[in-house]
């Protein structure tokens, strides 16, 4: 089993290091912006989205133009290619976009351009290496100390960033453990439905409204559209700044919801949190914008990130018919759901459509476990009161 964490570490830079690190990020941005311009316009009239092609065309030139190591030049080119790929995807969706431009003071390091230690890091610059000590909380259980001081977590790479007068290293870390033996004990799952009007709805009947997210999203799109009409470099940089601010605001909001979902699972003695498979979310929720789809994936990632600390497992299930199926009798029909209302055409069960879907997502996992080769362990879906088993039988709380 693999665990990944990002440790945001403030750096204590020695005298003279600031100018070297600043030169590094400026030259890194030069590589990225040069590659972005070349890839966006292409040499044959098409956008270039091949990292290998971009590196063949630009690597030697950028090595001559900068004092960066080979690896940092490659990372700058690859950052641009990834941004161009995202722009091409937006164009395919009919959205307005323009050539990516990089203005943030940041650079990407891996183990060839940086040496990561438990108390400091050695970073490559155009004029040799600089060693920066970590500024970490004293509490060994507080991130990032919790991960940096744990020898089980391996440094993989790091993003160097300069903000508000200080340097930070966003270190990607990984821990690998042997997978536990199959669980044969009784389990209870929390089903979670994702949607446009409600970001998340749990099978316990707890709703997380999307009103705030949708309001911010509309504000961001209006601002982005207004700036996009200008077409200037300054306007493009403003779009990037507005985008970073919006993304940060969205991320904080989603992180809060993720923590709430974890708490909901823990308080209800759940062993699993079950989401619908996000691979085909565009088909499953056609009214969702790309921002919604981004939010769903980010929310899932946050929950998955936090779950192992609480002994929870996060899984995805096939979402087909979860919005049309009656969670009480199993009857599936297009007429069962009308916008946010659900009424079964066979048994007459009525409830909020998203709540019904959340229960079905939990039941989908139950059916999958029932068909597992090992016979599976007994599993129930946690409701607002009591539980539901794979046969649709309701079990009231033990206190009743």
């Amino acid at each position: 089993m693999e665990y990944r964490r990002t440790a945001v570490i403030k750096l204590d830079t020695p005298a003279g290091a600031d100018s070297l690190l600043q030169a590094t990020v400026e030259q890194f941005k030069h590589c990225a912006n040069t590659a972005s311009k070349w890839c966006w316009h292409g040499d044959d009239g098409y956008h270039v989205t091949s990292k290998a092609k971009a590196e063949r065309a630009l690597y030697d030139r950028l090595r001559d133009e900068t004092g960066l190591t080979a690896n940092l030049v490659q990372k700058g080119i690859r950052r641009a290619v990834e941004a161009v790929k995202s722009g091409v995807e937006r164009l395919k969706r009919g959205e307005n976009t323009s050539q990516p431009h990089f203005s943030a003071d940041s650079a990407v390091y891996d183990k060839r351009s940086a040496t990561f230690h438990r108390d400091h890091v050695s970073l490559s610059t155009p004029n040799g290496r600089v060693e920066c000590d970590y500024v970490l909380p004293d509490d060994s259980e507080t991130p990032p100390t919790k991960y940096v001081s744990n020898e089980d977590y391996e440094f993989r790479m790091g993003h160097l960033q300069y903000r508000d007068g200080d340097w930070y290293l966003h270190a990607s870390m990984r821990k690998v453990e042997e997978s536990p033996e199959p669980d044969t004990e009784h389990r209870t799952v929390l089903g979670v439905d994702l949607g446009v009007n409600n970001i998340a709805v749990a099978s316990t009947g707890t709703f997380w409204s999307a009103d705030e997210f949708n309001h911010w999203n509309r504000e961001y799109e209006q601002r982005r559209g207004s700036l996009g009409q200008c077409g200037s470099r300054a306007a493009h940089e403003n779009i990037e700044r507005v985008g970073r601010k919006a993304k940060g605001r969205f991320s904080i909001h989603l992180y809060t919801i993720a923590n709430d979902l974890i708490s909901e699972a823990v308080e209800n003695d759940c062993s699993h949190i079950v989401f619908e498979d996000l691979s085909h979310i565009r088909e499953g929720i056609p009214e969702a914008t790309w921002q919604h789809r981004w939010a769903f994936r980010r929310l899932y990632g946050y929950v998955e990130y936090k779950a192992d600390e609480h002994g929870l497992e996060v899984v995805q299930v096939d979402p087909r018919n979860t919005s049309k199926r009656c969670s009480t009798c199993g009857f599936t029909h297009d007429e069962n759901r009308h916008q946010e209302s659900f009424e079964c055409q066979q048994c007459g069960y009525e409830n909020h459509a998203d709540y019904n879907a959340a229960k079905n997502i939990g039941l989908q996992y139950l059916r999958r476990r029932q068909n597992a080769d090992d016979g599976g362990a007994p599993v129930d879906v946690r409701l607002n009161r009591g539980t539901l088993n794979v046969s649709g039988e309701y079990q009231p709380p033990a206190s009743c």
Side-chain angles (χ1 to χ4, degrees):
M1 186 176 296
E2 182 175 283
Y3 303 95
R4 293 182 180 271
R5 296 291 182 267
T6 299
V8 181
I9 308 166
K10 185 177 180 180
L11 300 180
D12 182 11
T13 55
D18 280 1
S19 60
L20 294 175
L21 295 178
Q22 195 63 53
T24 303
V25 297
E26 288 299 328
Q27 293 188 20
F28 188 88
K29 285 190 291 183
H30 171 72
C31 291
N33 285 320
T34 300
S36 175
K37 182 178 180 180
W38 186 87
C39 291
W40 190 255
H41 298 286
D43 56 358
D44 52 5
Y46 295 95
H47 301 300
V48 176
T49 57
S50 166
K51 294 177 184 177
K53 186 174 182 179
E55 285 185 20
R56 283 196 301 270
L58 299 170
Y59 173 78
D60 289 340
R61 168 188 165 186
L62 291 174
R63 281 301 305 275
D64 290 339
E65 291 178 355
T66 69
L68 299 179
T69 61
N71 183 253
L72 284 170
V73 171
Q74 291 171 338
K75 284 288 190 288
I77 295 172
R78 292 173 186 178
R79 171 176 277 190
V81 173
E82 289 300 320
V84 170
K85 281 184 180 179
S86 297
V88 170
E89 288 300 315
R90 288 194 290 273
L91 291 175
K92 289 179 179 178
R93 295 193 295 264
E95 300 171 7
N96 292 326
T97 190
S98 56
Q99 174 192 321
H101 178 73
F102 302 90
S103 57
D105 289 333
S106 66
V108 182
Y109 284 85
D110 66 11
K111 292 182 179 180
R112 289 173 290 179
S113 50
T115 304
F116 303 100
H117 301 275
R118 294 294 162 180
D119 59 352
H120 72 281
V121 64
S122 173
L123 300 169
S124 172
T125 75
N127 190 25
R129 284 180 169 250
V130 297
E131 293 190 352
C132 303
D133 291 334
Y134 300 151
V135 180
L136 298 171
D138 293 332
D139 186 351
S140 61
E141 292 302 311
T142 301
T145 307
K146 180 178 181 179
Y147 308 119
V148 174
S149 61
N150 188 340
E151 295 287 346
D152 291 336
Y153 278 97
E154 172 195 8
F155 285 90
R156 304 291 291 173
M157 63 184 302
H159 285 70
L160 177 69
Q161 294 187 6
Y162 183 75
R163 65 176 188 272
D164 301 326
D166 291 304
W167 292 96
Y168 294 85
L169 182 71
H170 291 239
S172 299
M173 310 188 74
R174 184 182 69 170
K175 179 174 72 170
V176 179
E177 294 181 347
E178 291 186 10
S179 297
E181 293 296 319
D183 186 4
T184 57
E185 297 181 358
H186 192 285
R187 291 175 284 185
T188 304
V189 306
L190 183 74
V192 180
D193 179 61
L194 304 174
V196 173
N197 295 323
N198 294 292
I199 284 285
V201 178
S203 58
T204 52
T206 303
F207 286 66
W208 288 269
S209 172
D211 288 349
E212 192 171 8
F213 178 86
N214 291 335
H215 173 70
W216 289 342
N217 192 27
R218 286 191 295 270
E219 279 192 343
Y220 165 62
E221 284 300 319
Q222 290 172 0
R223 180 66 173 154
R224 186 169 178 263
S226 175
L227 290 168
Q229 292 177 357
C230 298
S232 65
R233 170 61 60 82
H236 186 88
E237 291 179 354
N238 279 332
I239 290 174
E240 281 196 338
R241 280 193 288 271
V242 170
R244 285 195 297 271
K245 183 177 180 180
K247 190 174 181 180
R249 177 187 287 179
F250 294 163
S251 295
I252 292 171
H253 184 58
L254 294 169
Y255 195 78
T256 300
I257 296 175
N259 283 332
D260 289 346
L261 280 168
I262 293 290
S263 298
E264 190 80 4
V266 171
E267 290 169 8
N268 286 280
D269 297 321
C270 295
S271 58
H272 289 65
I273 301 177
V274 186
F275 289 83
E276 56 192 297
D277 190 336
L278 303 181
S279 301
H280 306 287
I281 198 71
R282 183 178 296 181
E283 293 79 8
I285 311 178
E287 68 272 24
T289 64
W290 70 267
Q291 289 97 333
H292 286 103
R293 295 192 291 273
W294 170 84
F296 299 153
R297 292 188 174 92
R298 180 58 62 91
L299 177 61
Y300 177 85
Y302 284 154
V303 173
E304 187 179 38
Y305 177 85
K306 297 282 290 182
D308 68 277
E309 296 181 11
H310 300 272
L312 297 167
E313 186 174 342
V314 183
V315 296
Q316 296 184 4
V317 297
D318 187 339
R320 283 178 293 182
N321 295 324
T322 51
S323 64
K324 303 174 185 177
R325 181 186 179 96
C326 176
S327 59
T328 299
C329 72
F331 180 68
T332 304
H333 197 279
D334 289 346
E335 293 299 317
N336 282 351
R337 177 167 187 163
H338 296 278
Q339 296 180 342
E340 294 191 338
S341 299
F342 185 92
E343 180 179 359
C344 179
Q345 302 302 299
Q346 179 165 282
C347 73
Y349 169 75
E350 295 182 48
N351 215 315
H352 194 287
D354 294 342
Y355 175 54
N356 178 74
K359 291 196 290 183
N360 277 327
I361 288 168
L363 287 167
Q364 193 83 311
Y365 177 75
L366 269 61
R367 285 187 284 272
R368 190 172 82 182
R369 290 296 307 158
Q370 189 180 49
N371 295 327
D373 291 339
D374 61 2
V379 187
D380 292 329
V381 178
R382 179 65 66 187
L383 306 181
N384 53 350
R385 286 183 60 81
T387 59
L388 195 66
N389 67 23
V390 71
S391 300
E393 298 170 344
Y394 171 72
Q395 179 68 38
S399 58
C400 291

